[in-house]
C-alpha cells in the first residue's frame, strides 16, 4: 500500500521545536554568563519532566491482555513453557532509568504473534529545553517516519455535487401537467432524496467493510478508510497508530504515544500460518489500542 505522506503539521511542529532549541542557545548568552543561582539562570531554566522512573516492562502487561494478543500462549500444554511465555524477554538496554522494553512471542496452529512494549523516559540536558519538549521532538520524528496518509475527507458536500444541475431542469416547466412533466418532477424529487439515502448506504457499507477486514477496493486484507494509519485522540498527550501489511501477509500494528516526558511504543504483529489467511486489521488495532490505554493509565497518577 503506497501512502500519501501527511506531515505538514508534524513537520512544522518539529521545525518549531528545533528552532526553539537552537534559539535558546543564541539568546541565552546572558544566562550563560550569569552567576550560578542568579535570577537570570533561574528564569531560563526549563521545567523537568513529570516522570523520574519507568515501569518494569515485562510486568506492565497483564496475563489476560497477553492471552488476548497472543492466543498461542493459552494453547501451550507445558506449564513451564507457558510461564516463560508470559514472562517475556527484556530488551537489551544500557540505562534502565531511561529506556526499557519487553518482547513476547507465541505460536499457534494458525499464526505466530509478537508483541513489543518499549518505554523511553526523555531527559533534556539543555536548560533552555524542557524534558517534555525534547520528548515531543522524539515523538514527532517517529510520527514523521510512519508516513501517515492524509486523512480521508468525511464531508457530505461532494455526493451532492453531481445532483446540483438537476434542479434547473426540473424547474423549466413548473406549470406542466402532462406525463413528461410529472415524470420530471418525480425524478427531481427522487434525485433530491437520493444523496442522503446513498450516504446512509455508504456508511453501512463502510461499517461492513471495517468489520470484515476488506478495504474499499474490495481486496481481501486491504485496510478500510476508517482503519487507515492515523493520529489518535484521548491517548496520552499525543498519539498515532500505524498499520502495515507486507507481501507475506504479516500485519504489524504500531501505537506510539507521549505522556509528558515519556514516549511509549507498542508493536504488535501477526504472521499467519498460511498465505491465504490475512490478519484482521480491525481486531489487531482494537487489541493494540486497548493495551495502549492500559499503559497510559499507569502514568496517570
Amino acid at each position: 500500500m503506497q501512502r500519501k505522506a501527511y506531515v505538514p503539521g508534524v513537520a512544522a511542529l518539529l521545525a518549531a521545536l528545533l528552532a526553539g532549541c537552537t534559539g535558546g542557545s543564541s539568546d541565552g548568552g546572558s544566562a550563560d554568563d550569569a552567576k550560578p543561582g542568579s535570577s537570570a539562570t533561574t528564569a531560563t531554566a526549563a521545567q523537568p519532566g513529570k516522570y523520574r522512573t519507568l515501569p518494569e516492562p515485562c510486568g506492565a502487561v497483564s496475563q489476560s491482555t497477553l492471552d488476548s494478543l497472543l492466543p498461542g500462549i493459552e494453547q501451550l500444554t507445558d506449564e513451564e513453557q507457558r510461564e516463560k511465555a508470559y514472562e517475556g524477554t527484556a530488551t537489551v538496554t544500557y540505562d534502565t532509568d531511561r529506556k526499557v522494553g519487553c518482547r513476547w512471542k507465541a505460536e499457534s496452529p494458525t499464526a505466530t504473534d509478537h508483541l513489543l512494549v518499549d518505554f523511553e523516559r526523555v531527559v533534556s540536558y539543555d536548560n533552555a529545553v524542557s524534558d517534555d519538549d525534547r520528548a515531543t521532538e522524539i515523538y514527532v520524528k517517529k510520527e514523521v517516519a510512519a508516513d501517515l496518509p492524509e486523512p480521508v475527507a468525511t464531508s457530505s458536500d461532494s455526493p451532492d455535487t453531481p445532483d446540483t444541475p438537476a434542479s434547473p431542469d426540473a424547474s423549466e416547466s413548473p406549470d406542466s401537467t402532462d406525463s413528461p412533466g410529472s415524470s420530471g418532477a418525480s425524478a427531481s424529487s427522487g434525485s433530491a432524496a437520493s444523496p442522503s439515502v446513498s450516504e446512509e448506504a455508504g456508511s453501512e457499507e463502510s461499517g461492513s467493510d471495517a468489520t470484515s477486514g476488506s478495504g474499499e477496493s474490495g481486496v481481501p486484507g486491504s485496510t478500510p478508510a476508517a482503519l487507515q494509519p492515523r493520529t489518535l485522540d484521548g491517548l496520552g498527550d499525543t498519539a498515532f497508530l500505524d498499520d502495515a501489511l507486507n507481501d507475506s501477509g504479516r500485519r504489524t500494528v504500531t501505537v506510539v504515544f507521549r505522556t509528558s516526558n515519556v514516549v511509549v511504543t507498542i508493536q504488535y504483529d501477526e504472521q499467519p500460518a498460511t498465505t491465504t489467511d490475512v490478519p484482521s486489521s480491525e481486531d489487531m488495532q482494537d487489541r493494540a489500542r486497548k493495551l495502549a490505554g492500559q499503559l497510559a493509565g499507569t502514568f496517570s497518577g
Side-chain angles (χ1 to χ4, degrees):
M1 176 178 67
Q2 185 175 2
R3 299 177 179 174
K4 180 180 178 182
Y6 177 62
V7 298
V10 175
L13 176 58
L14 179 59
L17 289 169
L18 292 176
C21 294
T22 55
S25 59
S26 60
D27 297 334
S30 59
D32 292 339
D33 295 335
K35 296 180 180 179
S38 67
S39 58
T41 303
T42 303
T44 59
Q47 291 294 320
K50 179 179 180 180
Y51 301 105
R52 304 297 180 90
T53 60
L54 290 171
E56 198 288 304
C58 291
V61 184
S62 68
Q63 182 171 312
S64 60
T65 300
L66 289 173
D67 288 340
S68 174
L69 276 77
L70 312 171
I73 290 185
E74 287 187 299
Q75 300 176 20
L76 290 172
T77 56
D78 187 286
E79 185 175 347
E80 186 175 345
Q81 288 184 350
R82 189 166 60 250
E83 277 299 315
K84 188 174 181 180
Y86 279 127
E87 290 175 0
T89 303
T91 57
V92 177
T93 181
Y94 299 100
D95 188 350
T96 55
D97 287 332
R98 295 284 302 279
K99 189 175 178 64
V100 294
C102 191
R103 298 179 183 274
W104 293 265
K105 174 184 176 181
E107 297 180 5
S108 71
T110 58
T112 299
D113 295 282
H114 297 83
L115 174 66
L116 166 67
V117 171
D118 180 89
F119 299 109
E120 181 174 1
R121 185 176 68 89
V122 182
V123 178
S124 172
Y125 294 102
D126 185 344
N127 285 337
V129 182
S130 70
D131 293 348
D132 283 20
D133 285 346
R134 190 69 75 190
T136 299
E137 289 180 30
I138 293 174
Y139 167 85
V140 169
K141 288 178 181 178
K142 287 177 178 285
E143 186 174 325
V144 170
D147 194 21
L148 304 184
E150 184 175 356
V152 178
T154 56
S155 173
S156 59
D157 293 338
S158 55
D160 295 336
T161 304
D163 295 321
T164 303
S167 297
D169 295 339
S171 61
E172 284 180 359
S173 55
D175 298 330
S176 175
T177 56
D178 56 8
S179 295
S182 301
S183 174
S186 175
S188 175
S189 174
S191 174
S194 61
S196 69
V197 174
S198 63
E199 285 172 13
E200 292 177 4
S203 176
E204 292 176 0
E205 183 178 355
S206 176
S208 175
D209 286 344
T211 303
S212 65
S214 298
E216 292 178 341
S217 63
V219 179
S222 59
T223 306
L227 298 175
Q228 288 287 335
R230 61 202 182 278
T231 56
L232 301 174
D233 296 326
L235 181 62
D237 295 317
T238 184
F240 73 86
L241 178 148
D242 194 14
D243 187 333
L245 183 69
N246 68 13
D247 294 336
S248 68
R250 180 170 182 161
R251 184 179 293 282
T252 301
V253 173
T254 304
V255 177
V256 179
F257 69 89
R258 179 188 70 83
T259 177
S260 186
N261 62 317
V262 172
V263 178
V264 180
T265 301
I266 297 169
Q267 184 174 301
Y268 175 41
D269 67 70
E270 180 170 295
Q271 176 67 64
T274 60
T275 55
T276 55
D277 292 332
V278 178
S280 168
S281 181
E282 182 179 25
D283 289 345
M284 290 186 65
Q285 287 191 24
D286 183 61
R287 294 168 191 161
R289 290 191 65 177
K290 284 182 178 178
L291 173 56
Q294 293 169 7
L295 296 179
T298 64
F299 291 97
S300 61

